[in-house]
Amino acid sequence: MSVTSTAPAASFEKPAVALGKYVALGDSYTSAPLVPLPELLSLGCLRSGSNYPKQVAALLRVSSFTDVSCGGADTTHMTQPQSTALGTFPPQFNALTADTDLVTLGIGGNDFGVFGDIIDTCPGLRASDPAGSPCKTHFTVGGVDTLAAKIAQTQVRITEVVKGIKLRSPRASVVLVGYPKIAPSTGVCPDVLPFADGDYAYLYSIEQKLNLAVENAAAAGGAVYVDTFGPSTGHDACAPDGQAWIQGKDLNLLRAASYHPRYEGQAGVASLTYKKIVGLQGTVTPAEQAQWAAEARELSRQAAKTTSNPAVKAHLDRLRTGAQR
């Protein structure tokens, strides 16, 4: 039950160069777990039929498209198999060939457990100091921010991944896609993001560092970087429904996995990626956001109807128990 975005390709210009073969690599911010409608055959990788690579492929009108993004992936899974709750998947680099024209890559948040450490640790620390920054204190050891240190190592890994892509697909354009904003630059919403008030700034800074690492790796390897952090301002998890690109702490089987992009976020990233590829300005208009919100409502409605299908219900139950970062 794989679907492509309903976003009309006609709203954009055609790319200057025809692209034949497109391969998408990445983690769960690329695979988009629980964003309607799911790919029933992607199993433990939790890919959505509406994730941003599929939308980019439709906008570019590529003749060949392969999406091997997988929830829980880190840079090691580019060259090594990945075990999931529902099976083992081959290295993502296996999808690359000498005649690949375009490769998009969204990776880095899972390396050295950075995203997982934040999500698993920080909400539980809020009660100890609701107005303070207990999460920042926890991850600062001997005056060193341990998460920032891990991100510095992640940059080295991503740089090597870019080299590996270019080695296997030397003629391909390589596009590294950054992570959209999870926390707002100001304000708090503990019912959605259950972090201590002072840790919002810390989470924000960690994601800034991660995106800078991705950007630096792109520059070092001669790849293109897509900034989704800046353009997603006002669309973080604290934003109102219809504006938010990121799901909060509560998993929603008809919208998104917790702390992951909703359909609106996938559509936004697809738009920004496409615009970068064809040389348009990387902005998000109110009209685009309204369109994506309407499409998200329709896809959720379709997902609710399909849950009456026993096969789909069983798949969603597996997703509920097997959702990964």
Side-chain angles (χ1 to χ4, degrees):
M1 223 172 75
S2 174
V3 299
T4 303
S5 166
T6 55
S11 63
F12 295 105
E13 298 177 5
K14 292 182 179 180
V17 179
L19 295 172
K21 189 170 186 179
Y22 166 29
V23 176
L25 314 172
D27 59 21
S28 58
Y29 266 61
T30 301
S31 66
L34 299 181
V35 172
L37 297 165
E39 281 187 2
L40 296 183
L41 298 180
S42 70
L43 299 173
C45 281
L46 308 175
R47 283 192 292 270
S48 167
S50 301
N51 65 8
Y52 78 76
K54 293 180 179 64
Q55 297 189 46
V56 169
L59 290 166
L60 291 172
R61 299 179 177 89
V62 296
S63 58
S64 172
F65 170 61
T66 303
D67 179 4
V68 291
S69 61
C70 194
D74 62 30
T75 54
T76 67
H77 298 119
M78 300 300 104
T79 57
Q80 299 173 22
Q82 180 180 350
S83 296
T84 74
L86 298 173
T88 299
F89 293 81
Q92 293 191 28
F93 273 4
N94 284 12
L96 299 175
T97 58
D99 62 343
T100 299
D101 295 303
L102 171 68
V103 179
T104 59
L105 170 68
I107 205 73
N110 292 325
D111 279 75
F112 304 105
V114 170
F115 271 3
D117 285 348
I118 291 172
I119 292 169
D120 293 341
T121 303
C122 299
L125 296 174
R126 175 179 167 81
S128 66
D129 187 8
S133 52
C135 181
K136 180 179 180 180
T137 300
H138 176 86
F139 288 113
T140 303
V141 180
V144 175
D145 185 335
T146 57
L147 294 185
K150 289 178 178 180
I151 289 171
Q153 298 175 65
T154 297
Q155 179 177 319
V156 176
R157 284 187 171 188
I158 300 174
T159 301
E160 290 302 311
V161 169
V162 175
K163 291 180 181 177
I165 293 171
K166 288 182 171 290
L167 181 65
R168 292 163 176 81
S169 302
R171 81 180 198 190
S173 297
V174 182
V175 179
L176 270 58
V177 180
Y179 293 88
K181 285 183 181 176
I182 301 172
S185 56
T186 60
V188 299
C189 58
D191 290 341
V192 177
L193 292 178
F195 299 90
D197 293 356
D199 280 328
Y200 275 71
Y202 180 61
L203 173 60
Y204 192 91
S205 71
I206 287 296
E207 196 179 0
Q208 281 182 310
K209 290 180 174 66
L210 177 60
N211 277 313
L212 181 59
V214 176
E215 183 176 11
N216 288 342
V224 173
Y225 173 68
V226 178
D227 174 24
T228 68
F229 191 81
S232 61
T233 298
H235 301 293
D236 53 80
C238 289
D241 190 45
Q243 292 295 319
W245 287 12
I246 304 295
Q247 181 73 11
K249 65 179 177 60
D250 296 324
L251 177 148
N252 186 328
L253 289 174
L254 304 180
R255 294 295 300 275
S258 55
Y259 303 110
H260 280 77
R262 297 175 171 181
Y263 172 81
E264 295 94 326
Q266 290 293 311
V269 172
S271 171
L272 293 168
T273 301
Y274 178 84
K275 289 173 181 176
K276 187 73 173 184
I277 291 171
V278 302
L280 298 176
Q281 186 175 3
T283 58
V284 174
T285 68
E288 287 175 315
Q289 183 63 37
Q291 175 184 322
W292 301 332
E295 290 167 357
R297 290 191 295 270
E298 174 59 22
L299 285 170
S300 292
R301 186 189 67 80
Q302 292 179 32
K305 288 177 62 177
T306 59
T307 55
S308 60
N309 182 314
V312 174
K313 184 178 184 302
H315 181 72
L316 290 175
D317 287 340
R318 289 195 297 271
L319 292 181
R320 192 203 318 266
T321 56
Q324 307 167 38
R325 283 182 289 275

